[in-house]
């Protein structure tokens, strides 16, 4: 299942668009909020079973939506680490 997401440089994320491509207004609102908090972020398309940690979940970077002090690769790694921690039975 594909889902539109915004992933911040610290790995936190939010889904956006609810089963459709998000509007530019939706993206701009989230980007403004992140910029105000000095968080860089990217619009991505996630593909796979988000809730099943043992199954692959791929991220396709679409574009950067707010300036970041870290690279996309760092943000992606942080997202995957948080996802792994939040899905583990002990964490």
């Amino acid at each position: 299942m594909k889902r539109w997401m915004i992933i911040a440089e610290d790995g936190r994320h939010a889904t956006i668009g609810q089963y459709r491509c998000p509007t530019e207004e939706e993206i701009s609102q989230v980007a403004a909020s992140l910029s105000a908090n000095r968080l860089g972020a990217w619009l991505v398309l996630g593909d796979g079973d988000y809730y099943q940690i043992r199954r692959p979940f791929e991220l396709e970077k679409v574009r950067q939506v707010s300036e970041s002090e870290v690279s996309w690769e760092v943000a992606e790694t942080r997202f995957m680490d948080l996802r792994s921690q939040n899905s583990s039975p002990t964490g």
Side-chain angles (χ1 to χ4, degrees):
M1 173 187 213
K2 293 190 177 193
R3 66 179 64 227
W4 288 95
M5 305 167 72
I6 291 192
I7 296 183
E9 64 187 30
D10 62 4
R12 291 181 290 171
H13 66 284
T15 56
I16 188 169
Q18 293 295 63
Y19 306 111
R20 61 172 170 72
C21 186
T23 66
E24 284 302 316
E25 182 178 336
E26 290 171 318
I27 295 167
S28 294
Q29 288 174 351
V30 174
S33 176
L34 291 164
S35 291
N37 288 294
R38 294 189 165 101
L39 277 174
W42 292 261
L43 176 66
V44 302
L45 189 57
D47 188 16
D49 191 339
Y50 174 81
Y51 296 103
Q52 296 294 321
I53 192 63
R54 290 190 174 99
R55 293 191 180 168
F57 188 73
E58 304 286 326
L59 297 176
E60 176 186 340
K61 177 180 71 167
V62 176
R63 67 179 175 169
Q64 190 167 0
V65 296
S66 60
E67 291 298 315
S68 178
E69 293 187 17
V70 303
S71 69
W72 159 247
E73 292 77 15
V74 170
E76 181 180 30
T77 298
R78 289 174 177 170
F79 165 80
M80 291 298 187
D81 288 346
L82 282 174
R83 180 174 175 260
S84 176
Q85 291 170 9
N86 291 336
S87 297
S88 71
T90 59

